[in-house]
Amino acid sequence: MLNEKCTQEEVPPEVEERGHWGSKVEFLLAVAGNVVGIGNVWRFPYLFYKNGGGAFLVPYLVFAVTCGIPLFLLETTMGQYTQEGAITCWRKLCPIAEGIGFGGQLILLYTCMTYIIILSWALLYLVFSFSSQLPWASCDNYWNTEDCVDFSTNSTFNWTNGTNLTSAATEFWERRVLAISRGIEDLGSIRWEVLLCLIGMWIICYFCIWKGVKSTGKVVYFTATFPYVMLIILLIRGLSLPGALEGVIFYLLPDPSRLTDPQVWMEAGAQIFFSYSVGVGSLIVLGSYNKQNNNCYRDCLWLCLLNSGTSVVAGFAVFSVLGFMSHEQGIPITEVAESGPGLAFIAYPQAVAMMPLPQLWSICFFAMLILLGLDTQFVAMEVVMTSIIDMFPRVMRRAGRRESFLLFFCLICFFSQLVMITEGGMFVFQLFDYYACNGACILFLCVFETLSMGWVFGADRLYGIIKDMTGVRANSFFKICWLYLTPLVSLGSFICSLVEYQPLTFNRWYIYPSWAYVLGWALALSSILLVPGRALYKLATGSGTPRQRFQYLCHPALDDSPIQMRGTELQNMGVDLLQPFMAN
């Protein structure tokens, strides 16, 4: 009896199953929510008009076809085939390239710290939107200066009369929300209102993913669909405003001469890599929760179309409103068009303040912005969590451990980012956004990702895997992309980004101190150096001769799952390779 009791006490807690999406719809909504984010609204429309209007579609489509869609399909296939996270999948497919997984997760960690700051600002604006009078609609507040101009009452004011004048919306953003200091050297105190919003966003994100795909798959039914409702409402409202047609024409009017500018092609490439969420492992993890017979080939094509289509439609919603602003103020659209935070927190709020029922449209806009960013944020968190848990499944897949580790992860990110919500926090935020989450870092990872999968693992094997899993033979153009086009275009874009590098400035007047640029480059290199660093570490610590180690690390090590068993040729090669080591 005593022995029985001891035996019962020594039984370890049961390892939980990894799980799958509850349905195909959950996967589609999760991926759509991840790839369709704030950048589709505040970055793409600005790039579209700035880089030649309709002519910008040429470089955009070139990068989408040669890089975006092939990488999207590649990563989703990798996840669905291996049923592993963004790091452990490389151990099965191409062990020497495992550093790509680590680098991608580090970029996502930086992204988790910066992206949620934007959501906190949007939440603060949403709270202020319930005021009887929008605080950025007048110059009668304690934070306003004598140079403030209220366009809701001075709609025909000639902006060129004074160079030091600022709009009420700009002063609310810079003096009330940020209380921005003189520079990164002067951090000042924490903005407590932003802090409360930040805490609120972390709590929401925690409970969205605390049960893994079980909770994430249910949340995305709302977070991925409701922004489209808001976008349609804002689009209809924008197109009904006076001056909207001029804004839309300005948005679409093609300027073919811009196609000769290399910068236009670089910005088109950067937009594709960012908006398709390739290179960092997000699609690998989301695909890994699919069943292995899911038709990921068809899913990827439709999701890429949805992503790009949303960006174009968002441009109509944004530029119809900017056309209205231009019409009301009597100034060219070029003077009101903004990108990034300037569009979301200055230009659009200013336009809303000039409309009838401004509170209603402000609530719609910032609710849409929060929901667009929310699923991108919590999916990034889920990707990091899954990737770490898959590295230590026997330890982490126990009851309650995921929830505890997620809480620890959220607290680490929260305390690390407190410096970004100080009075000088905007300078720190931009430093992280410009260097740590840099497009060049993602381009570097994509170059080696396609080289590893196309040449080391084998494009033919990958092509066969898609056929085995989906029953559909993918277009042979994808093999050409994985072997040649995608790595060459990605490498060319990476080199161009280094050649065209410009040091970060803030508002075109503040130059960062030298130590800040050193810190920025250290953040950028932290993810890049993980690729060669991890490969060298595995080569140095392996057994056998250097040549044997290299050969071993360049061949896949796969389990005997139903789909993987069908790759008999691949598995036989692995057995032959391991024979010398097993003999020892």
Side-chain angles (χ1 to χ4, degrees):
M1 186 144 176
L2 185 61
N3 289 340
E4 251 179 57
K5 194 181 262 188
C6 290
T7 305
Q8 287 175 359
E9 289 176 358
E10 289 171 5
V11 173
E14 186 180 351
V15 177
E16 297 176 349
E17 289 187 7
R18 192 173 186 274
H20 291 94
W21 297 111
S23 67
K24 185 185 184 71
V25 175
E26 290 183 8
F27 165 69
L28 294 174
L29 290 177
V31 177
N34 178 49
V35 299
V36 178
I38 294 175
N40 296 72
V41 173
W42 80 7
R43 179 175 165 82
F44 177 84
Y46 177 80
L47 291 177
F48 197 88
Y49 109 82
K50 174 189 166 189
N51 294 309
F56 182 68
L57 283 175
V58 174
Y60 181 84
L61 290 175
V62 167
F63 276 96
V65 171
T66 60
C67 294
I69 300 174
L71 283 168
F72 202 103
L73 176 60
L74 171 67
E75 294 188 10
T76 308
T77 302
M78 289 168 63
Q80 184 170 309
Y81 178 58
T82 60
Q83 303 282 286
E84 293 284 351
I87 296 173
T88 48
C89 76
W90 287 105
R91 295 178 181 176
K92 290 188 173 184
L93 298 173
C94 185
I96 199 169
E98 190 181 18
I100 297 171
F102 281 102
Q105 296 316 291
L106 187 57
I107 292 175
L108 277 183
L109 176 63
Y110 294 144
T111 303
C112 287
M113 292 170 56
T114 55
Y115 205 83
I116 201 168
I117 298 290
I118 301 170
L119 299 182
S120 304
W121 294 331
L123 180 58
L124 184 59
Y125 269 78
L126 180 63
V127 172
F128 278 119
S129 298
F130 289 93
S131 307
S132 57
Q133 181 184 17
L134 296 179
W136 56 82
S138 69
C139 293
D140 303 327
N141 307 288
Y142 69 87
W143 59 82
N144 293 124
T145 66
E146 294 180 356
D147 297 323
C148 178
V149 176
D150 178 7
F151 284 109
S152 61
T153 57
N154 295 287
S155 59
T156 58
F157 183 84
N158 188 355
W159 186 260
T160 58
N161 287 344
T163 55
N164 293 325
L165 300 178
T166 55
S167 67
T170 301
E171 292 203 347
F172 176 78
W173 168 241
E174 293 182 352
R175 300 175 62 85
R176 177 68 177 85
V177 176
L178 300 179
I180 198 162
S181 66
R182 294 169 298 176
I184 197 171
E185 307 94 335
D186 180 17
L187 290 177
S189 59
I190 289 177
R191 303 296 295 158
W192 68 269
E193 290 167 319
V194 181
L195 174 63
L196 292 177
C197 291
L198 182 62
I199 293 172
M201 292 311 305
W202 274 116
I203 292 173
I204 292 171
C205 288
Y206 176 85
F207 285 107
C208 282
I209 68 166
W210 73 316
K211 293 296 183 183
V213 289
K214 293 178 183 176
S215 55
T216 306
K218 303 300 180 286
V219 171
V220 291
Y221 276 99
F222 175 73
T223 59
T225 56
F226 192 70
Y228 283 96
V229 177
M230 293 291 97
L231 181 60
I232 292 169
I233 292 172
L234 291 171
L235 175 63
I236 295 171
R237 177 56 181 148
L239 292 175
S240 66
L241 293 168
L245 182 60
E246 288 78 5
V248 171
I249 292 173
F250 185 82
Y251 168 58
L252 294 176
L253 191 65
D255 180 9
S257 64
R258 297 285 290 134
L259 296 179
T260 59
D261 185 355
Q263 188 67 28
V264 172
W265 291 80
M266 284 178 55
E267 292 190 341
Q271 178 63 18
I272 286 293
F273 281 93
F274 273 116
S275 66
Y276 280 42
S277 294
V278 294
V280 293
S282 298
L283 298 170
I284 294 174
V285 169
L286 293 174
S288 72
Y289 287 109
N290 280 331
K291 294 176 181 177
Q292 286 191 321
N293 62 353
N294 175 63
N295 192 339
C296 58
Y297 179 66
R298 182 182 57 199
D299 294 346
C300 290
L301 298 179
W302 281 111
L303 286 165
C304 290
L305 181 62
L306 174 69
N307 183 24
S308 296
T310 302
S311 297
V312 175
V313 172
F316 285 96
V318 168
F319 271 85
S320 60
V321 172
L322 295 180
F324 164 71
M325 283 182 65
S326 171
H327 176 269
E328 292 294 301
Q329 297 175 20
I331 59 177
I333 295 179
T334 52
E335 295 188 25
V336 297
E338 292 279 355
S339 175
L343 171 66
F345 301 114
I346 298 177
Y348 208 96
Q350 183 176 314
V352 162
M354 301 166 68
M355 298 179 190
L357 300 174
Q359 288 86 352
L360 172 63
W361 305 116
S362 181
I363 291 169
C364 287
F365 177 73
F366 287 109
M368 178 190 73
L369 210 63
I370 290 170
L371 290 173
L372 276 174
L374 184 62
D375 39 16
T376 303
Q377 172 69 24
F378 69 64
V379 166
M381 292 167 58
E382 176 61 46
V383 170
V384 176
M385 288 294 299
T386 295
S387 299
I388 294 174
I389 290 172
D390 282 351
M391 292 175 68
F392 312 101
R394 294 183 180 277
V395 176
M396 299 301 296
R397 287 188 199 148
R398 310 277 186 182
R401 292 191 182 178
R402 176 194 165 85
E403 294 85 344
S404 301
F405 182 67
L406 177 59
L407 178 62
F408 174 74
F409 174 79
C410 292
L411 290 174
I412 291 293
C413 289
F414 172 75
F415 286 111
S416 301
Q417 69 187 170
L418 288 179
V419 67
M420 297 185 197
I421 57 172
T422 60
E423 292 171 354
M426 188 61 172
F427 300 99
V428 181
F429 171 85
Q430 285 215 326
L431 193 71
F432 268 78
D433 186 57
Y434 192 79
Y435 289 100
C437 308
N438 191 296
C441 302
I442 297 174
L443 286 168
F444 181 87
L445 295 182
C446 288
V447 171
F448 284 91
E449 179 176 280
T450 49
L451 289 175
S452 301
M453 293 302 296
W455 290 92
V456 182
F457 181 79
D460 287 327
R461 291 194 184 112
L462 193 61
Y463 192 73
I465 287 169
I466 295 174
K467 175 67 169 64
D468 285 339
M469 291 194 301
T470 66
V472 177
R473 188 174 296 278
N475 193 302
S476 57
F477 175 74
F478 287 106
K479 281 199 287 189
I480 299 172
C481 288
W482 294 328
L483 286 169
Y484 306 107
L485 294 180
T486 306
L488 286 174
V489 173
S490 301
L491 180 61
S493 301
F494 174 72
I495 294 171
C496 285
S497 67
L498 296 181
V499 172
E500 297 291 329
Y501 163 75
Q502 295 291 332
L504 173 66
T505 59
F506 180 76
N507 277 357
R508 295 183 288 274
W509 61 266
Y510 175 75
I511 299 175
Y512 283 74
S514 299
W515 63 265
Y517 291 121
V518 172
L519 175 60
W521 275 106
L523 290 170
L525 291 172
S526 63
S527 57
I528 288 175
L529 293 178
L530 281 172
V531 178
R534 184 64 180 172
L536 291 173
Y537 172 78
K538 292 178 80 72
L539 284 169
T541 57
S543 57
T545 65
R547 182 179 178 181
Q548 287 175 327
R549 295 178 200 174
F550 182 75
Q551 289 179 333
Y552 175 71
L553 292 173
C554 287
H555 282 76
L558 301 170
D559 295 328
D560 298 335
S561 65
I563 295 295
Q564 290 159 351
M565 281 294 289
R566 278 179 245 169
T568 54
E569 178 191 349
L570 180 61
Q571 208 142 29
N572 290 337
M573 287 184 64
V575 171
D576 293 341
L577 180 71
L578 288 172
Q579 202 66 43
F581 298 93
M582 294 167 69
N584 293 334

